[in-house]
Coordinates of all heavy atoms in Angstrom, one line a residue:
D1 N 81.6 31.3 122.8 CA 80.8 30.2 123.2 C 81.5 28.9 123.2 O 81.1 28.0 124.1 CB 79.5 30.1 122.2 CG 78.2 30.7 122.8 OD1 78.3 31.2 124.0 OD2 77.2 30.6 122.2
A2 N 82.4 28.7 122.3 CA 83.0 27.4 122.2 C 84.3 27.4 123.0 O 85.1 26.3 123.1 CB 83.4 27.1 120.8
Y3 N 84.7 28.4 123.8 CA 85.9 28.5 124.5 C 85.9 27.5 125.7 O 84.9 27.3 126.3 CB 86.1 29.9 125.1 CG 87.5 30.2 125.6 CD1 88.5 30.4 124.7 CD2 87.8 30.3 126.9 CE1 89.8 30.6 125.2 CE2 89.1 30.5 127.5 CZ 90.0 30.6 126.5 OH 91.4 30.9 127.0
P4 N 86.9 26.8 125.9 CA 87.0 25.7 126.8 C 86.6 26.1 128.3 O 85.9 25.3 128.9 CB 88.4 25.3 126.9 CG 89.0 25.6 125.5 CD 88.3 26.9 125.2
S5 N 87.0 27.3 128.7 CA 86.6 27.7 130.0 C 85.4 28.7 130.0 O 85.3 29.5 129.1 CB 87.8 28.5 130.8 OG 88.9 27.7 130.8
R6 N 84.4 28.4 130.8 CA 83.2 29.1 130.8 C 83.5 30.6 131.2 O 84.1 30.9 132.2 CB 82.1 28.6 131.7 CG 80.9 29.5 131.8 CD 80.2 29.6 130.4 NE 79.1 30.5 130.5 CZ 78.4 31.0 129.5 NH1 78.8 30.5 128.3 NH2 77.4 31.9 129.6
I7 N 83.0 31.6 130.4 CA 83.2 33.0 130.7 C 81.9 33.6 130.7 O 81.0 33.4 129.9 CB 84.2 33.7 129.6 CG1 85.5 33.1 129.7 CG2 84.1 35.1 129.7 CD1 86.4 33.5 128.6
N8 N 81.6 34.4 131.8 CA 80.4 35.1 131.8 C 80.5 36.6 131.6 O 79.5 37.2 131.0 CB 79.8 34.9 133.3 CG 79.5 33.5 133.5 OD1 78.7 32.8 132.7 ND2 80.0 32.9 134.6
R9 N 81.5 37.2 132.0 CA 81.8 38.7 131.9 C 83.0 38.9 130.9 O 84.0 38.6 131.2 CB 82.0 39.3 133.3 CG 81.1 38.8 134.4 CD 81.3 39.5 135.7 NE 80.8 40.8 135.7 CZ 81.2 41.8 136.5 NH1 82.0 41.6 137.5 NH2 80.6 43.0 136.4
V10 N 82.6 39.6 129.9 CA 83.5 39.9 128.8 C 83.8 41.3 128.6 O 82.9 42.2 128.4 CB 83.0 39.3 127.5 CG1 84.0 39.5 126.3 CG2 82.6 37.9 127.6
G11 N 85.1 41.7 128.7 CA 85.6 43.1 128.5 C 85.8 43.4 127.1 O 86.0 42.5 126.2
I12 N 85.7 44.7 126.7 CA 85.8 45.1 125.3 C 86.8 46.3 125.2 O 86.6 47.4 125.9 CB 84.4 45.6 124.8 CG1 83.4 44.4 125.0 CG2 84.5 46.0 123.3 CD1 81.9 45.0 125.0
L13 N 87.8 46.1 124.4 CA 88.7 47.2 124.0 C 88.4 47.5 122.6 O 88.5 46.7 121.7 CB 90.2 46.7 124.2 CG 90.8 46.5 125.5 CD1 92.2 46.0 125.5 CD2 90.7 47.9 126.3
S14 N 88.1 48.8 122.4 CA 87.6 49.2 121.0 C 87.9 50.7 120.7 O 88.3 51.5 121.7 CB 86.3 48.8 120.7 OG 85.3 49.6 121.4
T15 N 87.6 51.1 119.5 CA 87.6 52.6 119.2 C 86.3 53.1 119.8 O 85.4 52.4 120.2 CB 87.5 52.8 117.7 OG1 86.3 52.3 117.1 CG2 88.7 52.2 117.0
T16 N 86.2 54.4 119.8 CA 85.0 55.1 120.3 C 83.8 54.9 119.5 O 82.7 54.7 119.9 CB 85.2 56.7 120.4 OG1 86.3 56.9 121.3 CG2 84.0 57.4 120.9
G17 N 84.0 54.8 118.1 CA 82.9 54.5 117.3 C 82.2 53.1 117.5 O 81.1 53.0 117.6
T18 N 83.1 52.1 117.7 CA 82.6 50.7 118.1 C 81.9 50.7 119.4 O 80.9 50.2 119.6 CB 83.7 49.7 118.0 OG1 84.3 49.7 116.7 CG2 83.2 48.3 118.3
W19 N 82.5 51.5 120.3 CA 82.0 51.6 121.7 C 80.6 52.3 121.7 O 79.7 51.7 122.3 CB 83.0 52.4 122.6 CG 82.6 52.5 124.0 CD1 82.7 51.5 125.0 CD2 82.1 53.7 124.7 NE1 82.3 52.0 126.2 CE2 81.9 53.3 126.0 CE3 81.7 55.0 124.2 CZ2 81.4 54.3 127.0 CZ3 81.2 55.9 125.1 CH2 81.1 55.5 126.4
K20 N 80.5 53.3 121.0 CA 79.2 54.1 121.0 C 78.2 53.4 120.2 O 76.9 53.5 120.5 CB 79.4 55.5 120.4 CG 80.1 56.4 121.5 CD 80.0 57.9 121.0 CE 80.6 58.8 122.1 NZ 80.5 60.2 121.7
S21 N 78.6 52.6 119.2 CA 77.5 51.9 118.4 C 76.9 50.8 119.2 O 75.8 50.2 118.9 CB 78.2 51.3 117.1 OG 79.0 50.2 117.4
G22 N 77.6 50.3 120.3 CA 77.0 49.2 121.1 C 77.1 47.9 120.4 O 76.5 46.9 120.8
V23 N 77.9 47.7 119.3 CA 77.9 46.5 118.5 C 78.3 45.3 119.4 O 77.7 44.2 119.3 CB 78.8 46.7 117.3 CG1 80.2 47.0 117.6 CG2 78.7 45.5 116.4
Y24 N 79.4 45.4 120.2 CA 79.7 44.3 121.0 C 78.9 44.1 122.3 O 78.4 42.9 122.6 CB 81.2 44.3 121.4 CG 82.2 43.7 120.4 CD1 83.1 44.5 119.6 CD2 82.2 42.4 120.2 CE1 83.8 44.0 118.7 CE2 83.0 41.8 119.2 CZ 83.9 42.6 118.5 OH 84.6 42.0 117.6
P25 N 78.6 45.2 123.0 CA 77.6 44.9 124.2 C 76.3 44.3 123.7 O 75.9 43.4 124.4 CB 77.4 46.3 124.7 CG 78.7 47.0 124.3 CD 79.1 46.5 123.1
N26 N 75.8 44.7 122.7 CA 74.5 44.2 122.2 C 74.6 42.7 121.9 O 73.8 41.8 122.1 CB 73.9 44.9 121.0 CG 73.5 46.3 121.4 OD1 73.2 46.6 122.6 ND2 73.5 47.2 120.4
A27 N 75.6 42.3 121.1 CA 75.9 41.0 120.7 C 76.2 40.0 122.0 O 75.7 39.0 122.0 CB 77.1 40.9 119.7
L28 N 77.0 40.6 122.9 CA 77.3 39.8 124.0 C 76.0 39.5 124.9 O 75.8 38.4 125.4 CB 78.3 40.5 124.9 CG 79.8 40.5 124.3 CD1 80.6 41.5 125.0 CD2 80.4 39.1 124.4
R29 N 75.2 40.5 125.1 CA 73.9 40.3 125.8 C 73.1 39.3 125.2 O 72.5 38.5 125.8 CB 73.3 41.6 126.0 CG 73.9 42.6 126.9 CD 73.1 43.9 127.2 NE 73.8 44.9 127.9 CZ 74.3 46.0 127.4 NH1 74.1 46.1 126.0 NH2 75.0 46.8 128.0
A30 N 73.0 39.4 123.8 CA 72.2 38.4 123.0 C 72.6 37.0 123.3 O 71.8 36.0 123.2 CB 72.2 38.8 121.5
Y31 N 73.9 36.8 123.5 CA 74.5 35.5 123.8 C 74.5 35.1 125.2 O 75.1 34.0 125.5 CB 75.8 35.3 123.1 CG 75.9 35.0 121.7 CD1 75.5 35.9 120.6 CD2 76.1 33.7 121.2 CE1 75.5 35.5 119.3 CE2 76.2 33.3 119.9 CZ 75.9 34.2 118.9 OH 75.8 33.9 117.7
G32 N 74.0 35.9 126.0 CA 74.0 35.6 127.4 C 75.2 36.1 128.3 O 75.3 35.6 129.4
Y33 N 76.0 36.9 127.7 CA 77.2 37.4 128.4 C 77.0 38.8 129.0 O 76.2 39.5 128.4 CB 78.4 37.4 127.6 CG 78.8 36.0 127.0 CD1 78.5 35.7 125.8 CD2 79.5 35.2 127.8 CE1 78.8 34.5 125.2 CE2 79.9 33.9 127.3 CZ 79.5 33.6 126.0 OH 79.8 32.3 125.5
E34 N 77.7 39.2 130.1 CA 77.6 40.5 130.6 C 78.8 41.2 130.0 O 80.0 41.0 130.3 CB 77.8 40.5 132.1 CG 77.7 41.9 132.6 CD 78.0 41.9 134.3 OE1 77.9 40.8 134.8 OE2 78.1 43.0 134.8
P35 N 78.5 42.4 129.2 CA 79.7 43.1 128.6 C 80.2 44.1 129.6 O 79.4 44.7 130.5 CB 79.0 43.9 127.5 CG 77.5 44.0 127.9 CD 77.2 42.8 128.7

C-alpha cells in the first residue's frame, strides 16, 4: 500500500500449502488488489 508506484495486480510465488489456503489472494482482495 505504501509502495511509491501504484500497483493493482500482484503476483504470488509460494508453496502449495500457502497457495491452497488462499492466504495471499484473500488479503490482496481485501486491500483492493487483484491477485
Side-chain angles (χ1 to χ4, degrees):
D1 253 5
Y3 195 72
S5 302
R6 176 60 190 173
I7 292 172
N8 296 305
R9 311 185 78 195
V10 181
I12 307 157
L13 290 174
S14 70
T15 64
T16 299
T18 302
W19 182 78
K20 286 192 172 181
S21 74
V23 61
Y24 271 113
N26 292 339
L28 287 164
R29 291 190 189 100
Y31 273 77
Y33 298 101
E34 180 183 350

